[in-house]
Amino acid sequence: MFSPEGPTLRELTVQALSSVERGYDLLAPKFDHTPYRTPDRVLDAVASALEPMGPFGAGLDLCCGTGAGTDVLARVCRERVTGVDFSAGMLAVARERPVPEEPEAAEVSWVRADARALPFGPAFDLVVSFGAFGHFLPRELPGLFAQVRSVLRPGGCFAFPVGAPPRPGSRAYWSLLGFDAAMRVRNALWRPPFVMYYRTFRLGDVGRELARTGFRVDLHPLPGFGLRSDGSPRARLVVARRLP
């Protein structure tokens, strides 16, 4: 599951018993050697889906972690790219990422901030996020989406990939169910809480909440991930466009 450069079991245990922010500060130096980093095939698929919709001006990677998602923005944004995260440790690793040498490459910057209180005005044409929504409870999504809308220029897009839920009874289904159950027990018994749930971010609920917040939502299949047995895509790109 982990490469030799990844965290030890002891390190993961210490992280899991910490707060979300402190946990990621601890994990940051080895994060890119864990399965928690968004796979390159997902990043490439999202970039390929966004390219026909662009080019965009300024882009924001929400909850950027070590910065893998900024590579997507660098492919589709022409002005500047910003990564925002509340973990100082993750941002420290992100700042060590190689800087593109192409003269036309967008300028990249990093900002430490909470996604629930973004320190920007309506300065971005595209906001992306990868793998971070499990850190927000369902009741926090309206505020989170309102924050995203507030930093987008009129007509700007909020884009993120979502996978189809695993088939009930499958190994993936029981694995995610078990993980979420373990996290609920952990948070009931231990403080500070570590919020990370895989099964609370449901596409139908998310689409309705985005619409209430002032977005028009479109779904784009990511064809590289194939189809389920019922013919539906295994993965989609949600593109929520900010309405006036």
Side-chain angles (χ1 to χ4, degrees):
M1 184 175 181
F2 295 94
S3 70
E5 296 84 7
T8 65
L9 179 60
R10 180 183 179 280
E11 289 171 330
L12 285 173
T13 301
V14 172
Q15 183 227 359
L17 295 177
S18 305
S19 67
V20 178
E21 181 179 353
R22 176 59 177 160
Y24 277 106
D25 285 347
L26 294 170
L27 185 60
K30 298 183 178 182
F31 180 80
D32 287 346
H33 301 289
T34 74
Y36 309 131
R37 180 193 183 275
T38 303
D40 287 337
R41 68 183 295 229
V42 174
L43 300 172
D44 290 340
V46 170
S48 296
L50 287 173
E51 281 174 337
M53 306 176 200
F56 300 90
L60 177 69
D61 184 5
L62 187 72
C63 306
C64 66
T66 55
T70 58
D71 292 341
V72 173
L73 292 174
R75 285 174 56 175
V76 299
C77 295
R78 296 294 176 262
E79 294 177 11
R80 67 185 186 281
V81 170
T82 302
V84 62
D85 202 280
F86 77 161
S87 166
M90 299 290 268
L91 289 173
V93 175
R95 290 188 178 99
E96 297 299 319
R97 294 177 61 82
V99 178
E101 298 181 357
E102 297 83 354
E104 69 278 7
E107 178 185 353
V108 180
S109 60
W110 309 98
V111 176
R112 186 184 181 195
D114 192 320
R116 292 161 290 203
L118 293 172
F120 311 109
F124 299 97
D125 304 288
L126 175 64
V127 176
V128 299
S129 193
F130 297 91
F133 296 120
H135 293 303
F136 300 92
L137 297 172
R139 65 174 181 269
E140 296 179 292
L141 293 182
L144 176 67
F145 294 160
Q147 284 291 301
V148 173
R149 188 179 187 278
S150 74
V151 304
L152 280 169
R153 294 166 178 161
C157 292
F158 178 31
F160 51 88
V162 292
R167 179 175 54 81
S170 65
R171 176 182 291 184
Y173 174 87
W174 290 114
S175 176
L176 297 184
L177 182 66
F179 181 91
D180 282 8
M183 290 303 297
R184 292 186 185 281
V185 171
R186 179 255 186 242
N187 289 333
L189 300 176
W190 192 268
R191 291 291 184 271
F194 191 98
V195 176
M196 180 61 207
Y197 299 110
Y198 283 106
R199 301 175 69 250
T200 58
F201 193 76
R202 299 182 175 90
L203 182 56
D205 297 337
V206 168
R208 286 188 290 271
E209 205 56 65
L210 284 167
R212 290 192 191 102
T213 309
F215 289 95
R216 188 190 76 236
V217 181
D218 296 306
L219 302 177
H220 300 262
L222 296 176
F225 295 90
L227 302 175
R228 288 155 58 98
S229 57
D230 62 0
S232 62
R234 293 187 182 277
R236 293 181 172 97
L237 180 68
V238 177
V239 178
R241 191 171 295 274
R242 181 192 187 279
L243 296 174

